[in-house]
Amino acid sequence: MRIVFIGPPGAGKGTQAARLIETYQMAHLSTGDMLRAARDAQTEVGRKADEYMSAGNLVPDEIIVAIISDRLGEPDCQQGYLLDGFPRTIAQAESLDAMLDKKQTPLDVVLELKVPEEELFNRLAGRGRADDTPEVIRQRLVAYRQQTEPLLAYYSGKGLLQSIDGVGTVDEIFERAKAVLAPLASQ
């Protein structure tokens, strides 16, 4: 299965992604994890990404696309993957589509985790990350609404979008995700 996982900051994508990749034995491609690793390693790309992340802004497409393009070529992605945090914009989705078309490996599903904004704010404020100040949280949620929400219509138009309720226990949300993915897993 080739999955794009979409949801706002604080929706619980990381928690659910970890369970899904274990259950379905697929590669987890988290741009957030890859960017934080690059930042912590102080690579050139990591330092550039950190400038944007520290200000609560999204990292530019060319930096993300460079990381993802390389990663999709690795052996563990051949049996399927879950893209978490990419694409975030229509331009990124179009770049991803073009890349996957060349490889003749189209996406199977785009899974959206829906969570009300007040719940997101409370979750993010409670995480304790240095970059989770109220101002930065608000900026990230605004950036998500402006840049990423248009992807929902884009993927819906392609017949790929499946939305699940992201409020409830971790187990309840996981069962909702599995219910959507089960028909694909059996193919």
Side-chain angles (χ1 to χ4, degrees):
M1 280 189 290
R2 293 176 295 275
I3 303 169
V4 166
F5 206 13
I6 294 180
K13 289 188 313 295
T15 300
Q16 293 302 324
R19 297 183 91 180
L20 291 169
I21 61 162
E22 182 179 338
T23 300
Y24 296 106
Q25 298 297 301
M26 64 178 77
H28 181 205
L29 308 185
S30 166
T31 52
D33 289 348
M34 289 186 274
L35 287 168
R36 282 187 285 277
R39 175 190 64 196
D40 294 347
Q42 287 294 297
T43 64
E44 182 181 347
V45 170
R47 285 193 300 274
K48 285 181 186 174
D50 189 41
E51 291 174 24
Y52 293 93
M53 293 188 296
S54 295
N57 296 318
L58 295 178
V59 177
D61 290 356
E62 61 270 13
I63 294 173
I64 303 289
V65 171
I67 292 171
I68 294 291
S69 180
D70 290 346
R71 185 68 179 88
L72 287 178
E74 294 181 21
D76 65 333
C77 292
Q78 304 316 305
Q79 298 304 312
Y81 53 82
L82 184 144
L83 270 168
D84 175 7
F86 182 90
R88 289 185 187 226
T89 64
I90 297 291
Q92 287 178 351
E94 291 169 347
S95 295
L96 178 64
D97 286 347
M99 187 190 333
L100 296 176
D101 284 347
K102 285 180 189 170
K103 297 176 186 286
Q104 297 181 341
T105 56
L107 292 172
D108 293 307
V109 68
V110 175
L111 193 60
E112 178 201 12
L113 205 50
K114 293 178 93 136
V115 179
E117 195 153 313
E118 183 179 331
E119 174 74 10
L120 295 170
F121 193 89
N122 292 337
R123 289 180 186 183
L124 290 167
R127 283 198 312 201
R129 286 191 192 161
D131 62 345
D132 282 340
T133 65
E135 299 76 30
V136 170
I137 290 170
R138 279 189 200 91
Q139 177 57 39
R140 290 172 65 203
L141 293 174
V142 166
Y144 175 81
R145 277 197 313 274
Q146 292 174 343
Q147 297 180 20
T148 307
E149 277 188 353
L151 287 174
L152 304 178
Y154 176 82
Y155 283 121
S156 181
K158 292 178 168 281
L160 292 171
L161 184 66
Q162 294 283 335
S163 299
I164 61 168
D165 182 0
V167 177
T169 68
V170 171
D171 287 339
E172 288 168 345
I173 298 163
F174 183 58
E175 290 304 318
R176 292 177 200 139
K178 284 196 319 185
V180 167
L181 297 178
L184 296 169
S186 64
Q187 290 179 357

